[in-house]
Amino acid sequence: MRQPVTGPLQEPPRNRIALLLPLSGPQAPLGNAMQQAAELALFERGNRQVDFLPMDTGGTASGAAAAARRAQGQGARIMVGPLTAAETSAASAPARAARIPIIAFTNDAAQSGPGVWTMGVTPAQQVRRAMGAAMANGAQRFALLAPDDAFGRALAASMRHMATEWGLPEPVIVLHAIRANPSAAAQELANRGSNGIDAVMLGSTGQQARQVAAALGPAGLNSPAPRILGHALWANDAGLGQEPALHGAIFAAPDPASRQRFDARYEGAFGERPPRLAGVAYDAAGVAARVVLTPRGQTGPNTGEVFDGVDGPVRLQPDGVVQRGLALFAVEPSGEPRMVERAPTPGAAGS
């Protein structure tokens, strides 16, 4: 009788995901937390055929490019990260040359394109949702009053794009100095919006947002007063309720319920509360794990699928566009925003 052949069990093939993170330098604590979030995503899926390859970017563009090249050399099938727009731009060149997809953490949609997806909640996603809700209530003429900074300019570009896409009149865009007089900024908007404005988005936060909102009426903006729209940064700005002119203002932001569940799981695993960007790392790692477990011929995320993310449902499109389902909130006198509409399925009307 022949004896069975004995020997070491053969390991199943490994699927490698590179994590491009700032594991040294000033952003190292954030990078370590994001790595933990990615590991949590993999642990919860319980698949042992996936390996993470942590790659230190040092928080610089040159470091990100070098990390992308190292990831290619070590056989990564997909890259998760890096953190910033500049790092993503630098890493995308070697990644695209090697036909390795990137799921980056930045919210700069300008970095997205074939083979590169940006997972941060973008100004464009917020503008689309808020404008869509205002349109559903009859708004056709939109305006933006925002500081002349990167965020304000992104809001402006998104509003112009949405107006063109939806066949609306050219929006009135007023970008003011960061420390501008609120009354003067509101007056400029009123002067330029003499043909009427149905809804105006405010790009500022905190005290400036309250002062600008209070100045809209005295500036003589058309009657009835336009609907005020905001953005996701308002979700954590309890002081907005102190200004009566902002009561009922609406803004788009992630539903906090999913975030709270993730925070609790992360704290249970690591004994500390996660930074906000840890949720983006968790989502990106989960999407990447699905990619590497599909047949080898697939070169990117399954763009027909909706993923339930920490910041709500998300769908990745073939051209690099990331669609998000954001909830709608209204500013309340108490300062606690009230959800008025839950997040729709990404790609649905108004999302």
Side-chain angles (χ1 to χ4, degrees):
M1 178 176 168
R2 295 181 63 185
Q3 296 295 318
V5 177
T6 60
L9 294 176
Q10 186 173 1
E11 284 285 325
R14 313 299 293 180
N15 298 284
R16 293 183 165 182
I17 298 173
L19 300 179
L20 276 59
L21 293 164
L23 301 176
S24 63
Q27 295 278 29
L30 175 60
N32 289 324
M34 296 178 82
Q35 180 178 339
Q36 290 180 162
E39 292 169 348
L40 179 63
L42 188 59
F43 173 78
E44 291 181 345
R45 283 158 179 77
N47 196 297
R48 298 183 178 180
Q49 296 181 357
V50 177
D51 281 336
F52 282 144
L53 301 174
M55 301 284 175
D56 183 18
T57 67
T60 68
S62 60
R69 290 190 290 269
R70 290 198 305 274
Q72 175 193 356
Q74 295 187 34
R77 286 188 60 196
I78 191 168
M79 300 182 195
V80 172
L83 181 61
T84 67
E87 292 173 75
T88 302
S89 178
S92 62
R96 281 180 167 135
R99 301 180 64 83
I100 301 174
I102 290 181
I103 304 179
F105 304 133
T106 177
N107 69 348
D108 183 359
Q111 301 304 321
S112 64
V116 180
W117 290 264
T118 54
M119 289 293 285
V121 178
T122 68
Q125 292 161 353
Q126 300 168 50
V127 169
R128 175 180 287 272
R129 181 71 165 114
M131 284 183 66
M135 282 180 62
N137 286 292
Q140 293 288 302
R141 295 165 300 183
F142 287 85
L144 172 70
L145 187 58
D148 190 3
D149 55 15
F151 183 63
R153 291 188 290 273
L155 293 175
S158 300
M159 183 171 283
R160 290 190 178 104
H161 177 81
M162 292 299 105
T164 299
E165 180 180 328
W166 292 336
L168 300 175
E170 177 74 14
V172 177
I173 305 294
V174 174
L175 298 179
H176 57 77
I178 294 175
R179 300 185 185 278
N181 180 286
S183 297
Q187 189 62 60
E188 182 179 355
L189 178 65
N191 294 343
R192 294 180 54 186
S194 57
N195 291 331
I197 294 172
D198 299 323
V200 55
M201 175 171 283
L202 304 182
S204 49
T205 57
Q207 182 179 6
Q208 188 178 60
R210 298 195 301 271
Q211 291 175 339
V212 169
L216 292 177
L221 219 57
N222 60 296
S223 182
R227 184 72 181 268
I228 296 180
L229 312 178
H231 48 83
L233 294 177
W234 285 14
N236 299 313
D237 194 345
L240 293 176
Q242 299 171 12
E243 174 48 55
L246 284 173
H247 296 169
I250 61 171
F251 61 92
D255 184 336
S258 296
R259 166 70 55 175
Q260 290 165 359
R261 291 192 292 270
F262 165 74
D263 286 351
R265 298 198 309 276
Y266 184 101
E267 187 170 9
F270 303 110
E272 59 186 11
R273 297 288 287 179
R276 184 157 190 85
L277 284 175
V280 180
Y282 177 92
D283 285 350
V287 173
R290 292 176 187 240
V291 171
V292 299
L293 293 174
T294 58
R296 288 270 169 174
Q298 181 172 316
T299 58
N302 180 353
T303 54
E305 187 175 358
V306 175
F307 302 95
D308 289 324
V310 171
D311 286 323
V314 60
R315 173 185 279 135
L316 281 67
Q317 298 290 79
D319 57 1
V321 171
V322 176
Q323 294 179 315
R324 279 193 177 274
L326 297 176
L328 276 180
F329 297 85
V331 175
E332 294 282 282
S334 66
E336 186 70 24
R338 174 175 58 90
M339 185 187 296
V340 294
E341 285 186 19
R342 293 198 172 277
T345 300
S351 68

